[in-house]
Amino acid sequence: MSEHKHEHGEACGCGHDHDHDHEHEEFVLTLTDEEGKEVEMVLVETFDVGEKLYALLLERENPEADGVILRMEEENEEMVLYNIEDEDEWNEVEAVYNELVAAANQE
């Protein structure tokens, strides 16, 4: 999937504290897959690993498909999503994510 920029604001869904007067807004991003096809993705959750923020995205039309985890970084007051290219970073992110899933399943 390619990187995607979006504005960081009240409805950005980035996991940062914002004032919200609504119940739940679905935050949808359009990403381009490896074959050049546009895919609508829904931001499901954000989580921290160390000092970095990551986003879990699921396909809007196929939520049962494997999700995508991307690193979020703020640049010029915008949140930008990046692929995780480093294997050590991916292993750390995957371990934290698996712990979060295990903890949620125990609740």
Side-chain angles (χ1 to χ4, degrees):
M1 300 272 169
S2 63
E3 72 179 56
H4 177 82
K5 293 186 177 187
H6 75 274
E7 292 292 322
H8 179 71
E10 281 189 35
C12 74
C14 70
H16 294 173
D17 292 330
H18 299 292
D19 293 326
H20 293 278
D21 294 333
H22 50 26
E23 288 296 315
H24 173 75
E25 279 188 41
E26 185 176 79
F27 189 77
V28 179
L29 304 165
T30 302
L31 301 180
T32 305
D33 68 13
E34 298 82 19
E35 300 167 0
K37 178 182 165 192
E38 289 189 347
V39 180
E40 285 190 343
M41 305 292 286
V42 177
L43 178 65
V44 176
E45 184 174 352
T46 60
F47 59 98
D48 295 303
V49 178
E51 298 292 317
K52 296 179 182 175
L53 181 65
Y54 295 87
L56 171 63
L57 306 169
L58 296 177
E59 285 187 39
R60 187 175 196 189
E61 300 300 319
N62 187 11
E64 299 302 316
D66 288 340
V68 177
I69 297 176
L70 301 172
R71 183 178 61 252
M72 299 179 74
E73 294 182 13
E74 189 167 346
E75 293 181 8
N76 301 320
E77 298 182 22
E78 292 183 347
M79 292 306 289
V80 182
L81 299 173
Y82 291 99
N83 289 322
I84 302 169
E85 304 288 340
D86 181 75
E87 188 174 341
D88 291 335
E89 179 183 8
W90 173 252
N91 291 335
E92 185 177 1
V93 169
E94 184 178 36
V96 170
Y97 178 73
N98 288 336
E99 289 174 17
L100 292 171
V101 170
N105 288 335
Q106 291 178 359
E107 291 179 2

